Amino acid sequence: MKPMPPPIAVMVARMKPLAPRHRIAHLRALISGLPDGSIRHGQLLALLRDELMAPPANENRAI
């Protein structure tokens, strides 16, 4: 039996110290392993959308 994945709020707290690029990459990897219609897939997609729409922390920095 597989262990239950952590709640989304716990994942957000754990990923907070990561750089934005790493958070996005991590979310994409998690999403790719889930079935398309699952609730968790939708939650992680919403979180990824929020990360992608967030303004850059330092606009003077080159991307």
Side-chain angles (χ1 to χ4, degrees):
M1 184 173 182
K2 277 182 136 179
M4 292 289 294
I8 296 296
V10 172
M11 290 180 60
V12 169
R14 288 180 181 170
M15 288 192 299
K16 197 70 167 170
L18 297 175
R21 287 181 179 177
H22 289 112
R23 282 196 299 265
I24 291 168
H26 188 66
L27 287 169
R28 285 182 174 157
L30 289 171
I31 290 167
S32 70
L34 296 172
D36 282 343
S38 71
I39 293 171
R40 191 159 185 88
H41 185 269
Q43 292 171 332
L44 291 175
L45 272 177
L47 195 56
L48 177 60
R49 194 175 307 116
D50 292 344
E51 283 292 327
L52 290 171
M53 300 308 286
N58 184 353
E59 294 184 18
N60 296 328
R61 187 176 153 212
I63 295 176

